[in-house]
Amino acid sequence: QVQLVESGGGLVQPGGSLRLSCAASGSILSINAMGWYRQAPGKERELVAVIRSVGSTNYADSVKGRFTISRDNAKNTVYLQMNSLKPEDTAVYYCNCNVYTPSGRNTYWGQGTQVTVSS
């Protein structure tokens, strides 16, 4: 019904940058909140950043000042610009969207993209 396709992960050195993208497609009427979560090995999945339809944002304390979330509503796409990356940012990053479809409102997850920060 709704698919989320992520891209942009990879291997980067400490201090480097990456930009993640997540494009939603399918029977979409509108999208409310769009966000990014991450899960490191042996740890629980945690919220990294969220952006609402009105443009307000929230960030995890650990990424404030380094990561920026944005969205392009015309493309149903959310981005995560990650700067000054640290080894502790290494994780699988998941896109999450709250979507209104003809059948109602549901939350969808992307398949995940690996981000590895290492020298």
Side-chain angles (χ1 to χ4, degrees), residues 21 25 27-28 32 40-41 50 52 54 56 62 66 74 82 84 87 89 96 99 101 104-105 108 110 112:
S21 300
S25 62
S27 302
I28 298 171
N32 186 11
V50 62
R52 298 169 189 83
V54 295
S56 60
S62 60
R66 301 188 297 122
M82 305 185 293
S84 302
D89 294 318
N96 172 283
V99 182
T101 69
R105 186 177 72 176
Y108 297 88

Side-chain angles (χ1 to χ4, degrees), residues 20-107:
L20 305 182
S21 300
C22 172
S25 62
S27 302
I28 298 171
L29 297 178
S30 64
I31 303 177
N32 186 11
M34 307 179 82
W36 289 94
Y37 289 71
R38 67 186 181 187
Q39 187 167 19
K43 295 188 177 181
E44 293 187 353
R45 191 172 297 189
E46 63 175 357
L47 175 67
V48 175
V50 62
I51 183 167
R52 298 169 189 83
S53 57
V54 295
S56 60
T57 59
N58 286 97
Y59 294 91
D61 287 342
S62 60
V63 307
K64 284 181 180 177
R66 301 188 297 122
F67 292 9
T68 302
I69 190 170
S70 61
R71 62 190 285 171
D72 184 333
N73 292 327
K75 296 181 179 180
N76 289 332
T77 299
V78 61
Y79 305 95
L80 185 68
Q81 178 66 43
M82 305 185 293
N83 298 328
S84 302
L85 282 161
K86 304 175 181 180
E88 50 264 42
D89 294 318
T90 296
V92 178
Y93 284 69
Y94 297 91
C95 173
N96 172 283
C97 294
N98 192 256
V99 182
Y100 288 91
T101 69
S103 61
R105 186 177 72 176
N106 286 291
T107 297

